[in-house]
C-alpha cells in the first residue's frame, strides 16, 4: 500500500522521517546543516521495524508485522490501514464524537478544543477555554487522523496572541511568553468573533505558564513531521515566535546551572505542590532543656524549618524531633527541564540558518550539551545512586567535592528506600542546593524518554521501574501524575490545606488518563508495547462508562476525582492518541527524537555524581 492517501481533501502522510536521517543527527553538525530535511521516499510498508528502533536497542523489534500509516478508514476511526490486525474498540467512535464536539471555531475556522464539555457542572470556570498544553493530545489525534488544518490554525492563532502586550497589574511580561489559554467570544448581534487570552493574570496564583511556549514548538515540529509541510515553520512570524520563546530561556544571568528556574504552578501541576519530609515524630520539648529562650527557639525554627507552624503552650513547644526538609515544584522541576530540552532540540531542526537563526542555534547547541550532562548526572536516581547519596559526606569544599549540592543524607525520605527496585531508576522531581525532591513525576520522565534526554540505559531503567511498581504508579487507572502523595500534617503545612490537593487526589498523587498517550509513546520507543496495551485495557474498562473524567482519586486510582470534570477533552484525546500509536507505531515520529550520540557524557551508571 502507498504511504500516502487522499481522504476528505486532506493528505495523510508518514509521520516519521527516514531512519538514515535520524541516525545521522548530530548536534555538532547542526550549524552546517542548511535546514530540516524530511525524506518521504519510502512508506512504512517498505521498512522493517528493525529500522525503527529510534536509537534504542530493543526498539520495536518485538512486533511481528509491519504497518502503513494509510488513510482514514471512516469518520470516527483513527488512520490505519485496512489490513491492520487491531479490532477497533467500541468506545473509539464515542471518543471521536466527543472530541469533535469540543472543537472551538474562530471566524468559521477550527482553532482548538475546549478543556472540558461537562454540562453537568454548575461552575464553568476556565474549562470552556482552549489551553495550549491541553490541546496537544487533541492536535496529535487530528494529525494522526489526517486532519492537520485545525492544528495549523491553532499554531497561527496562538502565535498571534504571543505578539500582544502582556501585563499583570503594572508588570509587563516578556515578549516571547505564550498564553496559558484563550477563549473565543461570539457577538451574535454584530456577528463577529474576538479572542481573549490569559497569560497568567487570571490563573490561580497568577503564574505565567512556562510550558506553553515549549509545547508550541514541540507541536510545530509534530505538524511539520506529520504533513511534510515546511512552509508553516519557515514563515517569518513562526521563526520569530520560536526565537522569542527561546530568548526568554537562553538569556544569561546569575544561574550556575543550565536548568531553567521557575515558580510553582507554571506547568501541568498548576497549584502549590511543595514537598515536605517530616523526618521524625512531633515531640514536646522543654525550652529550659535546650537552654534557649522561647524567642530564640521560634527564630531558629522560622529560619531553618519554615513554614512549620510552631504551637506554643506556656514554656513548652511542639517541634519535630528531626529536620523538616522542604522541596517543591518551584525551582528546577523535572517536567519543565524535560520539556525545555525537547523544545530546544525541536527548534534546532526548525530554525532557519540565516543570521538570526544561526545565532540562536549556537546558543541552543551549547545549552543542550550542558543541560543533558546536568540532568543525566544530577537528576538521575537508581538503586546504586540512592545508596551512594545515603553514604554522602556533607560540607565538602572545592571542585573535588563528591556531594556537589551538599545534600544531607538524613533528608532522604523513608518511602524511597522501599520504592526503589534493584533494577530500575528515574529522574527525580527537583534538584537544587541542599535539596532533592525524590518524588516520581510521570510527565517529566516520559518526556525524558521521548526527547532522548534519557540515555538508552536510563530509558530502559524507567520502564523497568514502571513494571516493578505497577500497583503504585498505574494501579487501576493509568497514570499517577506524582508519587507518593503528601498526607496529614505534611499536607497541611506544604499545601496550605488545599482542599483540591488532598492525599491521592488531583495533583497530589491523582491518576490522570491523559498521561496514557505519553506512557504509550514511551513504551513503543523502548520496545515494550505490551505495557501500553495493558494500560490501555485498564482505561477502556472505565473511561467511557465514567464519562471521561479529568482524573481519578485513591491510591489505586479507583474513584472518579471528587472535583473532576466529566468529558475532559485531553482524557478523550489522550486515549485516542494512545490507541492510534499502538495500532500504527509510525506515528511515534511526530513526538519522538532519537538520541544524539554527541551529547552522551562519558559516565557509568550511578557514578555520575563523582565526575
Amino acid at each position: 500500500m502507498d504511504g500516502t492517501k487522499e481522504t476528505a481533501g486532506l493528505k495523510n502522510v508518514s509521520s516519521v522521517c527516514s531512519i538514515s536521517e535520524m541516525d545521522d543527527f548530530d548536534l555538532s553538525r547542526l550549524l552546517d546543516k542548511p535546514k530540516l530535511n524530511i525524506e518521504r521516499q519510502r512508506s512504512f510498508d517498505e521498512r522493517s521495524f528493525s529500522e525503527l528502533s529510534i536509537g534504542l536497542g530493543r526498539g520495536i523489534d518485538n512486533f511481528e508485522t509491519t504497518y502503513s500509516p494509510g488513510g482514514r478508514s471512516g469518520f470516527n476511526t483513527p488512520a490505519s490501514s485496512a489490513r491492520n490486525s487491531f479490532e477497533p474498540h467500541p468506545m473509539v467512535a464515542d471518543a471521536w464524537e466527543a472530541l469533535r464536539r469540543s472543537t472551538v471555531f474562530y471566524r468559521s475556522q477550527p482553532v482548538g478544543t475546549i478543556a472540558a464539555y461537562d454540562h453537568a457542572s454548575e461552575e464553568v470556570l476556565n474549562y470552556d477555554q482552549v489551553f495550549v498544553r491541553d490541546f496537544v493530545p487533541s492536535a496529535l489525534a487530528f494529525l494522526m487522523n489526517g486532519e492537520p488544518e485545525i492544528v495549523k490554525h491553532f499554531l497561527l492563532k496562538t502565535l498571534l496572541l504571543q505578539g500582544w502586550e502582556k501585563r499583570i497589574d503594572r508588570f509587563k511580561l516578556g515578549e516571547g511568553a505564550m498564553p496559558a489559554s484563550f477563549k473565543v467570544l461570539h457577538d451574535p448581534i454584530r456577528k463577529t468573533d474576538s479572542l481573549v487570552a490569559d497569560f497568567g493574570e487570571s490563573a490561580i496564583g497568577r503564574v505565567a505558564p512556562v510550558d506553553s511556549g515549549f509545547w508550541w514548538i514541540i507541536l510545530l515540529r509534530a505538524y511539520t513531521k506529520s504533513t511534510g509541510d515546511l512552509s508553516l515553520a519557515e514563515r517569518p512570524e513562526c521563526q520569530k515566535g520560536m526565537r522569542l520563546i527561546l530568548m526568554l530561556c537562553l538569556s544569561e544571568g546569575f544561574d550556575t546551572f543550565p536548568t531553567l528556574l521557575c515558580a510553582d504552578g507554571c506547568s501541568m501541576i498548576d497549584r502549590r505542590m511543595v514537598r515536605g519530609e517530616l523526618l521524625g515524630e512531633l515531640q514536646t520539648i522543654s525550652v529550659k532543656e535546650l537552654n534557649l529562650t522561647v524567642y530564640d527557639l521560634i527564630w531558629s525554627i522560622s529560619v531553618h524549618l519554615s513554614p512549620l507552624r510552631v504551637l506554643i503552650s506556656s514554656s513548652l513547644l511542639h517541634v519535630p524531633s528531626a529536620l523538616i526538609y522542604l522541596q517543591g515544584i518551584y525551582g528546577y522541576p523535572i517536567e519543565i527541564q524535560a520539556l525545555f530540552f525537547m523544545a530546544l532540540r525541536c527548534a534546532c531542526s526548525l530554525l532557519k540558518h540565516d543570521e538570526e537563526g544561526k545565532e540562536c542555534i549556537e546558543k541552543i547547541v551549547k545549552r543542550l550539551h550542558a543541560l543533558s550532562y546536568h540532568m543525566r548526572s544530577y537528576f538521575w536516581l537508581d538503586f546504586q545512586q540512592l545508596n551512594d547519596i545515603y553514604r554522602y559526606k556533607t560540607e565538602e569544599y572545592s571542585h573535588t567535592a563528591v556531594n556537589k549540592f551538599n545534600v544531607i543524607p538524613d533528608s532522604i525520605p523513608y518511602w524511597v528506600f522501599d520504592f526503589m527496585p534493584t533494577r530500575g531508576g528515574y529522574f527525580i522531581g527537583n534538584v537544587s542546593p541542599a535539596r532533592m525532591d525524590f518524588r516520581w513525576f510521570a510527565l517529566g520522565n516520559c518526556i525524558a524518554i521521548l526527547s532522548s534526554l534519557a540515555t538508552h540505559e536510563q530509558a530502559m531503567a524507567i520502564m523497568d521501574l514502571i513494571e516493578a511498581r505497577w500497583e503504585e504508579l498505574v494501579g487501576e487507572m493509568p497514570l499517577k501524575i506524582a508519587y507518593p502523595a503528601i498526607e496529614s500534617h505534611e499536607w497541611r503545612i506544604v499545601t496550605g490545606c488545599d482542599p483540591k490537593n488532598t492525599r491521592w487526589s488531583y495533583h497530589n498523587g491523582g491518576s490522570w488518563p491523559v498521561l496514557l498517550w505519553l506512557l504509550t509513546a514511551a513504551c513503543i520507543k523502548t520496545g515494550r508495547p505490551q505495557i501500553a496495551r495493558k494500560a490501555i485495557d485498564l482505561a477502556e474498562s472505565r473511561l467511557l462508562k465514567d464519562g471521561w473524567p479529568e482524573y481519578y482519586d485513591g491510591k489505586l486510582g479507583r474513584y472518579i476525582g471528587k472535583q473532576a470534570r466529566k468529558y475532559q477533552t485531553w482524557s478523550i484525546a489522550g486515549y485516542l492518541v494512545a490507541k492510534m500509536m499502538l495500532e500504527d507505531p509510525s506515528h511515534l515520529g511526530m513526538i519522538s527524537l532519537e538520541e544524539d550520540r554527541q551529547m552522551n557524557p562519558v559516565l557509568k551508571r550511578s557514578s555520575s555524581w563523582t565526575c
Side-chain angles (χ1 to χ4, degrees):
M1 180 182 290
D2 188 6
T4 63
K5 185 176 180 180
E6 296 285 350
T7 306
L10 299 175
K11 178 180 282 189
N12 183 16
V13 296
S14 169
S15 60
V16 181
C17 65
S18 69
I19 303 306
S20 60
E21 179 189 331
M22 290 181 180
D23 291 339
D24 289 340
F25 186 85
D26 177 350
L27 277 175
S28 65
R29 299 200 298 270
L30 263 173
L31 300 181
D32 301 323
K33 238 178 152 182
K35 59 182 177 180
L36 178 70
N37 178 29
I38 299 180
E39 179 183 324
R40 300 187 180 277
Q41 297 177 358
R42 295 191 298 160
S43 72
F44 271 83
D45 285 343
E46 300 171 305
R47 305 175 193 171
S48 67
F49 267 123
S50 62
E51 293 178 277
L52 301 178
S53 60
I54 321 296
L56 294 173
R58 287 170 58 181
I60 20 185
D61 297 338
N62 292 339
F63 284 94
E64 297 177 355
T65 57
T66 58
Y67 297 86
S68 165
R72 289 176 58 198
S73 56
F75 181 79
N76 289 323
T77 58
S80 58
S81 65
R83 64 190 179 89
N84 199 313
S85 61
F86 289 85
E87 288 294 328
H89 194 280
M91 66 188 278
V92 169
D94 290 271
W96 275 109
E97 182 181 349
L99 181 60
R100 297 187 191 284
R101 192 168 58 239
S102 69
T103 303
V104 173
F105 292 85
Y106 176 73
R107 297 177 182 175
S108 301
Q109 290 182 335
V111 293
T113 52
I114 59 173
Y117 197 80
D118 186 2
H119 289 302
S121 178
E122 295 180 359
E123 287 186 301
V124 176
L125 296 177
N126 56 357
Y127 282 84
D128 62 343
Q129 298 186 25
V130 180
F131 280 81
V132 173
R133 75 174 68 95
D134 290 39
F135 180 66
V136 171
S138 296
L140 295 176
F142 285 122
L143 288 173
M144 292 176 187
N145 205 42
E147 304 176 55
E149 289 304 309
I150 184 173
V151 182
K152 183 177 182 179
H153 295 321
F154 169 84
L155 289 168
L156 290 174
K157 288 298 176 289
T158 46
L159 188 63
L160 176 69
L161 297 173
Q162 183 196 41
W164 289 10
E165 183 178 276
K166 303 168 277 284
R167 287 184 180 273
I168 297 181
D169 293 332
R170 298 184 179 183
F171 183 73
K172 184 179 179 181
L173 274 68
E175 189 179 359
M178 279 286 187
S181 62
F182 66 87
K183 185 175 182 177
V184 178
L185 297 180
H186 302 283
D187 188 333
I189 299 176
R190 298 181 180 179
K191 295 183 180 180
T192 58
D193 291 343
S194 58
L195 295 173
V196 178
D198 177 16
F199 291 90
E201 68 270 25
S202 300
I204 297 172
R206 302 299 185 266
V207 178
V210 175
D211 62 339
S212 287
F214 300 152
W215 279 122
W216 188 88
I217 294 174
I218 293 167
L219 187 55
L220 178 61
R221 177 191 177 271
Y223 171 88
T224 305
K225 297 286 285 186
S226 174
T227 63
D229 177 18
L230 286 167
S231 63
L232 179 62
E234 289 181 345
R235 288 190 184 188
E237 60 267 34
C238 286
Q239 292 288 309
K240 180 182 177 182
M242 281 189 284
R243 290 196 303 269
L244 288 175
I245 293 169
L246 297 174
M247 282 171 60
L248 291 175
C249 312
L250 299 175
S251 57
E252 296 179 351
F254 291 99
D255 298 311
T256 54
F257 313 127
T259 41
L260 200 62
L261 181 64
C262 48
D264 249 333
C266 65
S267 57
M268 180 180 174
I269 299 179
D270 56 4
R271 298 166 78 94
R272 178 182 170 190
M273 272 292 292
V274 67
R275 173 77 184 173
E277 295 299 340
L278 182 59
L279 304 176
E281 298 300 322
L282 287 179
Q283 294 183 354
T284 300
I285 302 175
S286 171
V287 176
K288 292 181 180 179
E289 293 176 8
L290 299 176
N291 196 28
L292 293 171
T293 68
V294 173
Y295 299 103
D296 288 335
L297 191 55
I298 292 175
W299 178 85
S300 178
I301 291 173
S302 67
V303 170
H304 299 289
L305 304 182
S306 178
L308 177 67
R309 296 172 183 174
V310 183
L311 306 177
I312 304 176
S313 176
S314 64
S315 62
L316 298 178
L317 291 179
H318 297 280
V319 298
S321 59
L323 175 70
I324 283 191
Y325 168 74
L326 297 172
Q327 177 66 6
I329 302 301
Y330 70 88
Y332 307 92
I334 179 61
E335 176 178 337
I336 291 297
Q337 311 315 319
L339 286 171
F340 180 34
F341 181 86
M342 189 167 192
L344 288 175
R345 294 200 63 193
C346 289
C348 270
S349 65
L350 295 171
L351 285 168
K352 288 183 177 181
H353 287 250
D354 53 21
E355 185 175 347
E356 291 179 303
K358 193 170 183 179
E359 181 183 355
C360 191
I361 290 173
E362 287 176 348
K363 293 180 178 180
I364 290 173
V365 171
K366 291 178 182 177
R367 189 63 165 263
L368 278 172
H369 281 281
L371 183 60
S372 62
Y373 179 86
H374 184 91
M375 296 298 296
R376 293 168 181 175
S377 301
Y378 306 125
F379 274 68
W380 181 253
L381 188 74
D382 58 18
F383 182 85
Q384 185 59 52
Q385 182 73 353
L386 178 61
N387 205 161
D388 291 344
I389 298 173
Y390 178 69
R391 292 168 51 83
Y392 269 167
K393 295 179 180 179
T394 60
E395 306 300 326
E396 292 181 303
Y397 182 75
S398 87
H399 65 278
T400 61
V402 175
N403 185 1
K404 294 184 179 180
F405 290 90
N406 195 34
V407 175
I408 301 172
D410 286 343
S411 69
I412 303 174
Y414 296 142
W415 63 265
V416 76
F417 292 102
D418 295 327
F419 178 72
M420 180 62 71
T422 305
R423 288 186 57 193
Y426 63 103
F427 289 98
I428 62 175
N430 216 317
V431 176
S432 59
R435 292 179 172 182
M436 296 182 76
D437 182 353
F438 288 89
R439 280 178 295 176
W440 151 272
F441 289 90
L443 194 151
N445 276 275
C446 288
I447 291 292
I449 292 176
L450 296 177
S451 65
S452 289
L453 171 60
T455 63
H456 162 71
E457 187 180 32
Q458 288 171 338
M460 293 302 176
I462 292 170
M463 300 310 298
D464 287 340
L465 177 83
I466 292 174
E467 286 192 281
R469 296 293 176 258
W470 186 265
E471 284 294 302
E472 291 88 344
L473 302 180
V474 180
E476 296 185 17
M477 177 56 66
L479 181 66
K480 286 291 179 199
I481 189 172
Y483 181 89
I486 301 170
E487 303 185 58
S488 306
H489 180 69
E490 183 183 11
W491 166 79
R492 288 191 292 272
I493 292 173
V494 301
T495 72
C497 300
D498 187 349
K500 198 166 186 177
N501 270 326
T502 54
R503 64 176 185 172
W504 305 113
S505 179
Y506 201 52
H507 298 145
N508 189 13
S511 300
W512 291 69
V514 63
L515 297 173
L516 185 63
W517 79 266
L518 284 162
L519 174 63
T520 300
C523 289
I524 294 172
K525 184 170 182 180
T526 53
R528 305 193 191 184
Q530 71 280 1
I531 299 178
R533 193 171 293 114
K534 183 178 177 182
I536 290 173
D537 289 343
L538 283 173
E540 287 178 336
S541 68
R542 292 283 304 273
L543 276 180
L544 179 60
K545 180 178 63 177
D546 293 341
W548 305 99
E550 179 183 11
Y551 63 94
Y552 285 77
D553 285 356
K555 222 170 186 179
L556 297 177
R558 181 177 295 177
Y559 304 98
I560 298 174
K562 59 183 175 182
Q563 295 188 41
R565 297 301 174 107
K566 297 291 187 72
Y567 292 94
Q568 186 79 15
T569 304
W570 69 357
S571 295
I572 298 165
Y575 165 73
L576 287 173
V577 171
K579 286 288 284 186
M580 285 189 279
M581 274 196 295
L582 193 59
E583 293 178 6
D584 186 352
S586 69
H587 291 311
L588 180 67
M590 289 187 204
I591 202 69
S592 176
L593 294 163
E594 71 287 352
E595 188 172 358
D596 174 33
R597 299 180 184 92
Q598 296 300 314
M599 284 196 297
N600 287 342
V602 185
L603 299 174
K604 292 183 179 180
R605 185 170 180 169
S606 304
S607 62
S608 56
W609 281 70
T610 60
C611 296

